[in-house]
Amino acid sequence: CMEDAFIDSPWRERAQWWGDARVSSRSAYYAFNDTKLLAQGLRQIASSQDKRGSVLGLYPSGEEIVAPDFALLWVFSILDYFGFTDDPELVRDLYPAVEGLLDWFSHYENADGMLEDVPGALLIDRAELERKGEVTSLNCLYYQALRVASALADIAGKEDAASDFVEKANRLKVCINKFLYVPRRGLYAEGRSDGQLVEKFSRQTNTFAALFDIADQYQKAGIFRILSNGSLPEVATPYFGSFYLEALYSVDAHDRALQYIRRKWGEMVKSGSMTLWENFSSD
């Protein structure tokens, strides 16, 4: 998946979908100490930005697909790059595009300060997840993107903006916990639609809430107990499995993470497959 750009698959559309590219870029750094394709990809996504501030979920491509979750992951990847290289120049170059993107998202904030009905294809994972109204998983990603943007603003020498992003993130965290956490279940619901809580619960949404520290330590402990007991539907893809592993490692659950890798990726090895599957099922 490392050619002239990061590609999502070596045999199908061979496109630089940014959610996939972020996982590949971290693997490339670990395996090869390579950051050149990441820097190129970050600039390419920035070059897709339209006059409203939105960026595309995959680029370059013949299709213009807005994917709000992948756009936010692009912001994450800029900080990844700085962490890998300690190079502030690319951050400074891309920071105006980050501000433009987050300004675009701000137009979809409702009176409670949460994102609602953001246009585009919300990907998250190949599962039946809520994608309308106030989507908890997208609001979790937005919260983390605001925190990351604060760090990028600091690197770019924009101290006032850094403070503003932190304040906005903190307000959003309060709203997510107030409106979307369900104490009797110990989980975050999938969202709200027309002001009504959508009482569906997924591993994906609650992984984000735990990973990004939207949940406090007590909520997080409860979430991980539920994630480990098999009562929620399994993650559908290795792509989202990377977030689940990151969440496990964030609480030092190394044995559980290793068991998960052996159970999920081990099946690919046992099958004799030469590439990782797009879904955990080989169908």
Side-chain angles (χ1 to χ4, degrees), residues 176-198:
I176 293 172
N177 280 294
K178 179 179 179 180
F179 297 113
L180 300 172
Y181 182 70
V182 182
R184 60 183 170 77
R185 289 293 305 270
L187 293 169
Y188 290 82
E190 287 300 277
R192 288 196 307 181
S193 182
D194 297 323
Q196 299 297 311
L197 193 68
V198 179

Side-chain angles (χ1 to χ4, degrees), residues 43-154:
R43 292 186 184 279
Q44 287 172 329
I45 295 295
S47 72
S48 77
Q49 191 165 47
D50 65 21
K51 61 184 180 181
R52 300 171 301 160
S54 174
V55 300
L56 297 180
L58 73 160
Y59 194 84
S61 171
E63 297 183 78
E64 294 193 356
I65 298 176
V66 174
D69 50 331
F70 281 15
L72 294 172
L73 291 173
W74 170 75
V75 178
F76 292 18
S77 291
I78 299 172
L79 190 59
D80 287 346
Y81 176 83
F82 181 75
F84 297 154
T85 65
D86 201 29
D87 172 18
E89 288 303 315
L90 186 64
V91 175
R92 295 189 190 112
D93 289 349
L94 297 181
Y95 179 74
V98 172
E99 278 200 331
L101 174 64
L102 294 178
D103 181 67
W104 177 80
F105 273 101
S106 73
H107 288 87
Y108 299 97
E109 293 173 5
N110 61 22
D112 290 323
M114 291 192 293
L115 295 178
E116 183 174 11
D117 292 329
V118 178
L122 185 58
L123 303 171
I124 304 296
D125 193 20
R126 291 197 170 188
E128 294 299 318
L129 304 177
E130 196 65 27
R131 287 175 166 82
K132 294 181 180 179
E134 299 159 286
V135 180
T136 308
S137 57
L138 183 59
N139 276 283
C140 290
L141 283 166
Y142 187 42
Y143 165 75
Q144 183 68 0
L146 290 168
R147 296 171 72 196
V148 169
S150 176
L152 298 176
D154 269 332

Side-chain angles (χ1 to χ4, degrees), residues 5-9 12-18 20-21 58-61:
F6 287 116
I7 57 175
D8 68 320
S9 166
R12 203 173 65 181
E13 68 259 50
R14 299 163 60 84
Q16 188 170 238
W17 289 90
W18 198 259
D20 306 76
L58 73 160
Y59 194 84
S61 171

